[in-house]
């Protein structure tokens, strides 16, 4: 197999300004310097001519790059801003919904170096970076395969299952229609060569080139989250009801492999209120810094955490976040838990109505102004207060980033790290 090319959707707009640094080919002709492409009802306008699409290929791949002006990054987040960004590979313009869509066609390994440089902290160990390179590559190749010919929406749309008095939603990344991945956090953050890639990232990607996680001949859907809380969750408890054997329950430890049945309320309570030994049970700032972005580092208590609401606060929050009028929330009753103790279904008993909600992300969304760390929590009532005792950060399926960082520090290599989190999977070299 040859190294695939990735089609990355970078930006859209009515008018795109950019610059070719080095020579770019349009058909047989060669161009360099400042360019302007605009959208009009007659098509894509460039140098006073109209086209249905435009494709510019670098003439000497390693030296040429193009610079796009005013690219939006962090769309919808508090750090949203515009900046000029540079990219290697080919540049393509197409029309989508009355706008120009800018696509970068880039070899997969080049794409990965950029993605891992922007997503991972500079202090991450080589083995952790290698593990992440294999995961990102697997995630992407799994996605590339699923795109073919399937007509799907562009936004993150919740999937529904409504039965009687239940509202069960789960969110999954919808595929893009006209390209493979977008450049923003929705897929993986990609900023081309705007920021210099770090030598250890290049080394991690090069040394694992072409390697993906496979299970029974299929590329794995390599999910990961920040901190499992000591036990891995299974895929079907967070997303659609499909079992992936390599995403199975297990203790996040090699010393202690015993794991109680956390689907049982009494066991879940004992587990969440204790501090069991596991790889991700750490408050070592030096290790946490490898995984967390700067703005996350104020928080170090996510292996076990606590949140307190008064009854009024909780009622207001649930009514506002769910858009459903529950009246005064009187009780929150766990209905179903996954194998990591994460709640899959939670019954909300209000003075006006009672409804069971799920799955984990919807529960986290409704019970916090942003998102609760995880849905692995137990609730205690104390007078007017609802006290949430919780474990972990994120969905807990697949690789636990903090656990993996600790394993890297303890001398495990990337293969051992991956095979600990993706049970029964294998690392295969595809090209
Ligand atoms: Zn996307
Ligand atoms: Zn963990």
């Amino acid at each position: 197999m040859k190294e695939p090319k990735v089609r990355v959707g970078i930006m859209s707009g009515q008018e795109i300004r950019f610059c070719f640094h080095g020579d770019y080919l349009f058909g047989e002709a060669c161009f360099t310097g400042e360019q302007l492409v605009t959208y009009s009802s007659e098509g894509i306008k460039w140098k006073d001519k109209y086209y249905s699409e435009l494709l510019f290929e670098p003439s000497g791949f390693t030296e040429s790059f193009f610079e796009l002006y005013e690219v939006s990054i962090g769309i919808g987040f508090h750090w949203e801003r515009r900046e000029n960004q540079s990219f290697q590979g080919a540049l393509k313009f197409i029309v989508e919904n009355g706008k120009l869509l800018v696509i970068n066609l880039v070899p997969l390994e080049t794409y990965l170096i950029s993605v891992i440089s922007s997503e991972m902290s500079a202090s991450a160990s080589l083995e952790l970076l290698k593990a992440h390179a294999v995961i990102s590559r697997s995630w992407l190749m799994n996605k590339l395969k699923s795109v073919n010919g399937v007509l799907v929406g562009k936004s993150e749309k919740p999937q529904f299952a409504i039965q009687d008095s239940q509202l069960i939603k789960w969110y999954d990344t919808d595929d893009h229609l006209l390209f493979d991945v977008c450049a923003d956090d929705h897929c993986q953050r990609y900023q081309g060569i705007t920021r210099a890639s770090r030598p250890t990232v290049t080394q991690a990607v090069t040394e694992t080139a072409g390697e993906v996680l496979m299970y029974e001949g299929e590329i794995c859907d390599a999910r990961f989250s920040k901190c499992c809380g000591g036990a891995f969750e299974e895929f079907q408890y967070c997303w659609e009801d499909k079992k992936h054997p390599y995403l199975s329950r297990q203790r996040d430890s090699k010393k202690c492999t015993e794991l109680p049945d956390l689907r049982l309320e009494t066991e879940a309570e004992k587990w969440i209120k204790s501090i069991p030994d596991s790889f991700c049970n750490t408050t070592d700032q030096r290790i946490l810094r490898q995984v967390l972005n700067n703005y996350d580092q104020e928080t170090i208590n996510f292996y076990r955490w606590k949140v307190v609401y008064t009854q009024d606060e909780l009622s207001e929050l649930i009514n506002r976040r769910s858009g459903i009028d529950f009246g005064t929330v009187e009780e929150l009753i766990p209905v179903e838990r996954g194998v990591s103790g994460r709640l899959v279904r939670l019954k909300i008993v209000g003075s006006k109505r009672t409804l069971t909600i799920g799955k984990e992300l919807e529960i986290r969304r409704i019970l916090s102004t942003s998102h609760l760390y995880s849905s692995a929590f137990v609730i205690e009532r104390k007078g007017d207060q609802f006290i949430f005792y919780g474990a972990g950060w994120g969905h807990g399926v697949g690789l636990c980033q903090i656990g993996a960082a600790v394993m890297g520090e303890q001398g495990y290599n990337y293969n051992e790290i991956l095979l600990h989190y993706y049970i029964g999977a294998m690392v295969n070299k595809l090209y």
Side-chain angles (χ1 to χ4, degrees):
M1 181 176 174
K2 248 179 62 196
E3 177 182 355
K5 278 211 174 82
V6 188
R7 299 174 299 167
V8 193
I10 307 288
M11 67 191 294
S12 65
Q14 297 289 327
E15 187 179 283
I16 308 287
R17 289 194 309 119
F18 59 101
C19 182
F20 289 132
H21 298 272
D23 292 338
Y24 271 76
L25 296 171
F26 177 69
E28 302 282 292
C30 198
F31 296 89
T32 188
E34 301 287 328
Q35 310 292 330
L36 176 70
V37 167
T38 49
Y39 171 77
S40 85
S41 52
E42 286 153 85
I44 302 172
K45 189 181 171 196
W46 177 60
K47 294 192 184 294
D48 295 324
K49 282 200 180 122
Y50 295 93
Y51 303 88
S52 59
E53 62 172 59
L54 284 171
L55 176 67
F56 301 101
E57 304 255 21
S59 64
F61 180 70
T62 46
E63 282 146 48
S64 312
F65 65 95
F66 62 90
E67 184 178 5
L68 290 168
Y69 298 127
E70 309 243 304
V71 181
S72 286
I73 58 171
I75 295 162
F77 291 90
H78 61 84
W79 60 86
E80 179 171 347
R81 63 174 190 276
R82 283 165 172 273
E83 64 172 33
N84 301 345
Q85 296 198 337
S86 299
F87 302 88
Q88 287 181 319
L91 172 63
K92 192 175 177 183
F93 291 88
I94 56 173
V95 173
E96 187 196 39
N97 301 329
K99 272 186 183 172
L100 295 168
L101 189 60
V102 182
I103 293 169
N104 178 205
L105 288 110
V106 62
L108 179 61
E109 301 296 320
T110 310
Y111 168 80
L112 282 179
I113 290 172
S114 169
V115 162
I116 294 168
S117 291
S118 17
E119 295 238 338
M120 297 292 290
S121 154
S123 59
S125 69
L126 180 63
E127 294 306 315
L128 181 62
L129 289 171
K130 284 166 89 169
H132 248 288
V134 176
I135 290 173
S136 289
R137 194 180 290 111
S138 307
W139 177 84
L140 189 70
M141 291 189 68
N142 179 285
K143 197 176 161 67
L144 290 180
K145 194 183 56 182
S146 71
V147 160
N148 287 341
V150 184
L151 199 74
V152 281
K154 268 195 68 187
S155 59
E156 195 134 315
K157 286 197 216 106
Q159 310 280 310
F160 287 86
I162 302 171
Q163 310 138 347
D164 301 334
S165 58
Q166 298 195 24
L167 181 58
I168 309 299
K169 292 183 187 180
W170 60 95
Y171 298 78
D172 216 334
T173 310
D174 271 340
D175 297 321
H176 296 291
L177 179 57
L178 300 170
F179 48 91
D180 304 319
V181 285
C182 66
D184 216 342
D185 295 294
H186 170 258
C187 287
Q188 301 190 90
R189 204 179 305 169
Y190 170 65
Q191 298 166 335
I193 51 168
T194 310
R195 276 156 204 83
S197 59
R198 291 193 303 274
T200 46
V201 172
T202 309
Q203 187 186 349
V205 172
T206 313
E207 285 180 11
T208 63
E211 290 183 7
V212 293
L213 278 163
M214 294 192 76
Y215 185 87
E216 289 180 348
E218 300 269 339
I219 297 171
C220 295
D221 189 349
R223 308 270 164 158
F224 62 92
S225 67
K226 284 254 158 56
C227 174
C228 72
F232 307 168
E233 192 46 82
E234 294 184 352
F235 184 90
Q236 72 274 20
Y237 292 109
C238 297
W239 298 286
E240 64 170 312
D241 200 9
K242 198 163 93 186
K243 176 126 177 110
H244 294 289
Y246 52 89
L247 300 172
S248 285
R249 78 189 278 275
Q250 182 177 285
R251 181 89 176 252
D252 191 6
S253 170
K254 293 238 185 233
K255 269 187 284 178
C256 181
T257 53
E258 217 174 290
L259 182 65
D261 188 349
L262 301 177
R263 293 174 300 178
L264 305 173
E265 210 44 41
T266 47
E267 295 293 344
E269 177 153 5
K270 259 192 275 172
W271 174 261
I272 292 168
K273 284 191 166 173
S274 63
I275 307 177
D277 184 60
S278 77
F279 284 122
C280 55
N281 176 8
T282 180
T283 50
D284 185 334
Q285 293 270 2
R286 198 176 51 83
I287 294 176
L288 294 178
R289 213 169 285 135
Q290 297 186 16
V291 174
L292 306 179
N293 293 320
N294 292 330
Y295 51 86
D296 289 330
Q297 276 175 30
E298 299 141 34
T299 333
I300 53 165
N301 297 319
F302 35 76
Y303 188 67
R304 290 296 178 269
W305 47 264
K306 187 175 148 186
V307 170
V308 182
Y309 294 120
T310 65
Q311 188 167 28
D312 286 347
E313 283 169 354
L314 185 69
S315 305
E316 190 277 325
L317 185 66
I318 290 178
N319 290 334
R320 179 161 50 89
R321 297 284 283 172
S322 67
I324 297 167
D325 187 10
F326 286 92
T328 302
V329 171
E330 281 154 0
E331 237 185 317
L332 296 177
I333 306 167
V335 177
E336 183 189 1
R337 289 184 190 272
V339 291
S340 75
R342 280 169 175 78
L343 279 166
V344 179
R345 287 186 294 154
L346 175 72
K347 189 192 254 181
I348 302 173
V349 181
S351 58
K352 292 192 182 164
R353 69 177 295 180
T354 293
L355 188 69
T356 299
I357 60 161
K359 296 183 174 184
E360 63 95 28
L361 191 62
E362 187 66 357
I363 293 171
R364 289 164 60 199
R365 193 183 69 77
I366 287 177
L367 292 175
S368 164
T369 50
S370 50
H371 280 93
L372 212 54
Y373 277 141
S374 84
S375 73
F377 58 79
V378 289
I379 306 146
E380 235 177 58
R381 286 293 297 272
K382 213 180 206 174
D384 181 40
Q385 289 183 328
F386 285 75
I387 306 169
F388 291 68
Y389 293 95
W393 186 358
H395 52 65
V397 178
L399 181 130
C400 164
Q401 289 180 296
I402 291 167
V406 171
M407 288 185 81
E409 283 296 311
Q410 291 182 1
Y412 290 96
N413 67 34
Y414 78 104
N415 235 298
E416 293 168 316
I417 296 173
L418 289 169
L419 301 192
H420 170 65
Y421 290 105
Y422 303 97
I423 298 153
M426 291 193 326
V427 177
N428 278 3
K429 198 171 176 72
L430 291 188
Y431 55 85

